[in-house]
Amino acid sequence: MFRPRTADLCRYRFRSDWLVAAAPDAVYALLARAEDYPRWWPQVREVRPLDERGGTARFRSFLPYDLVVTARERRRDPVARVLEAGMSGDLCGWARWTVTARGAGSRVRFEQEVRVAK
C-alpha cells in the first residue's frame, strides 16, 4: 500500500491558463505591477514592496487563515513576457507568469510550485 510521506502532503503544483481579450504587452505590464494585484485578484489581500525586486504579500483563499510570503524577483523578461518570483515564508517555492499572443488577445499561464510552511 502506498503511503505518501508527510512532507509530500505539504507540496503543491498549480498551473492554470487564462484567455484574456487584451494585447500581450499590456497584460505583461499589468502583471509586472504586483502592488496592484489586490485590485483585481480577490485572494491577494495585500502587497507591500520592500525594494524594486521584492515585497511581501498576504493571501487568503479557501483556508480560514492568511498566508504571508516574501517574494523576490528571479526573472523579469519583457521580450519573452515571463515574470518569475521565488517565495519564502508561509509558502516556499516559486511562481511564474508567461504571457503569449493568442488571436487578438493573450493566453496567460500561471504556474506555481510551493511547499506549505505554515
Side-chain angles (χ1 to χ4, degrees):
M1 180 169 155
F2 173 72
R3 292 182 189 260
R5 298 176 309 173
T6 302
D8 293 336
L9 297 175
C10 298
R11 293 186 179 278
Y12 298 91
R13 283 186 186 177
F14 301 100
R15 185 175 102 178
S16 62
D17 290 320
W18 304 348
L19 300 179
V20 179
D25 288 336
V27 174
Y28 176 86
L30 176 76
L31 294 172
R33 293 190 308 271
E35 63 275 10
D36 291 340
Y37 285 18
R39 292 182 183 177
W40 57 268
W41 196 348
Q43 291 79 16
V44 180
R45 301 298 174 95
E46 179 182 24
V47 174
R48 290 188 192 168
L50 294 173
D51 57 33
E52 60 279 344
R53 294 182 52 99
T56 61
R58 184 170 54 88
F59 306 99
R60 186 161 193 171
S61 186
F62 298 110
L63 302 174
Y65 54 86
D66 292 349
L67 297 172
V68 178
V69 302
T70 298
R72 303 292 302 163
E73 182 181 285
R74 294 191 338 188
R75 183 176 177 193
R76 179 182 290 255
D77 185 340
V79 175
R81 296 187 204 98
V82 176
L83 296 162
E84 183 174 307
M87 295 185 295
S88 60
D90 293 338
L91 298 174
C92 300
W94 58 269
R96 178 186 311 123
W97 294 106
T98 306
V99 181
T100 56
R102 175 148 180 150
S106 303
R107 183 191 73 172
V108 181
R109 175 165 286 171
F110 177 74
E111 299 171 277
Q112 185 178 47
E113 188 172 316
V114 294
R115 178 180 52 81
V116 178
K118 184 170 188 172

